[in-house]
Amino acid sequence: MEQFKNHPNIHIMSHPLISHKLAILRDERTGTQEFRKVVSELATLMTYEATRNMPTEEVEIKTPVGMAKCQVLSGKKVAIVPILRAGLGMVDGILTLLPSAKVGHIGLYRDPKTLKPVEYFCKMPPDIAERDILLVDPMLATGGSGTAAIQFMKNYGCKKITMLNLLAAPEGLDLIAHDHPDVEVFVAAMDDHLNDHGYIVPGLGDAGDRIFGTK
Ligand code: PRP
Ligand code: URA
């Protein structure tokens, strides 16, 4: 993994499976069904990396042959928080590895004129402040939605927030690094720049529309 501009909390992943699956997402010929499946698979792969430093504790387990000293997860419980809509596409892939996680939802859409995020929905598990947060959205473009969602979770009292994005623009990573240097961010790839409509170039298009087949 590489770091973004030597920022210790922003990681750009590097793995052949991740690159291969991202290429499928970028391809304009990829249809909704495959797109949705591959988003989910990428979310699973990213979770594997993003949970690498989760705390563990030693327990003794009786195997059919003898006693084994084993490491099991010991940290706080996790909540997955997708930013609607597109973040929903990543939830199942994360639950594959963290099946007991709870799921909160933040509804934000980006105003196409101002590119600013507009909130329209929020529903969190009651113990959200006690949980470690995995905030997920396939796209980090200007970073407006990401930084607003992180602030939202901080306002709920959440202390440890990790964000997973499939694709990020440098502009978005700069904003998160500036606004929330304490938040750990994992991106599957960083692209070149944003176009005049705030789309990531070369990117993959509109993630929500491609996941849900709305265009
Ligand atoms: C997309 C994407 C992010 C946001 C990124 O959502 O899923 O939430 O744009 O852009 P930003 O970094 O410039 O804020 P969109 O507003 O298109 O809504 P959708 O998920 O409902 O399609
Ligand atoms: N949202 C998307 O879905 N795609 C982009 O490239 C930028 C924002």
Side-chain angles (χ1 to χ4, degrees), residues 2-167:
E2 291 168 36
Q3 283 171 355
F4 172 68
K5 296 184 179 171
N6 289 327
H7 196 290
N9 281 343
I10 302 190
H11 313 284
I12 302 168
M13 296 181 150
S14 159
H15 191 289
L17 285 178
I18 288 182
S19 316
H20 184 87
K21 288 178 191 296
L22 269 180
I24 297 171
L25 293 189
R26 290 183 189 279
D27 191 329
E28 64 176 8
R29 295 168 301 180
T30 301
T32 302
Q33 192 178 352
E34 190 179 12
F35 193 91
R36 201 182 285 146
K37 179 172 85 85
V38 174
V39 166
S40 184
E41 289 171 353
L42 275 164
T44 307
L45 292 172
M46 293 185 77
T47 302
Y48 179 72
E49 280 292 350
T51 52
R52 184 175 288 282
N53 294 324
M54 269 186 167
T56 59
E57 65 187 3
E58 189 175 285
V59 294
E60 274 210 82
I61 303 273
K62 189 170 183 307
T63 80
V65 183
M67 296 305 292
K69 290 190 196 314
C70 303
Q71 295 291 325
V72 296
L73 294 174
S74 65
K76 287 190 178 178
K77 291 180 178 165
V78 172
I80 305 163
V81 179
I83 303 177
L84 306 182
R85 291 175 300 166
L88 280 177
M90 298 173 73
V91 173
D92 280 354
I94 300 173
L95 284 170
T96 303
L97 296 185
L98 300 172
S100 62
K102 296 265 171 74
V103 182
H105 295 84
I106 299 181
L108 292 176
Y109 71 87
R110 203 171 65 151
D111 183 295
K113 287 209 180 70
T114 64
L115 300 183
K116 296 281 178 224
V118 181
E119 182 201 328
Y120 62 91
F121 184 76
C122 181
K123 181 81 181 169
M124 294 294 153
D127 59 350
I128 192 75
E130 317 314 322
R131 290 177 176 263
D132 290 344
I133 307 300
L134 275 181
L135 184 65
V136 299
D137 191 329
M139 310 302 273
L140 186 78
T142 64
S145 307
T147 196
I150 291 168
Q151 192 55 53
F152 224 79
M153 300 317 299
K154 287 183 173 175
N155 294 347
Y156 267 102
C158 301
K159 300 278 181 303
K160 183 166 173 20
I161 301 169
T162 303
M163 185 160 70
L164 306 185
N165 305 109
L166 301 186
L167 285 186

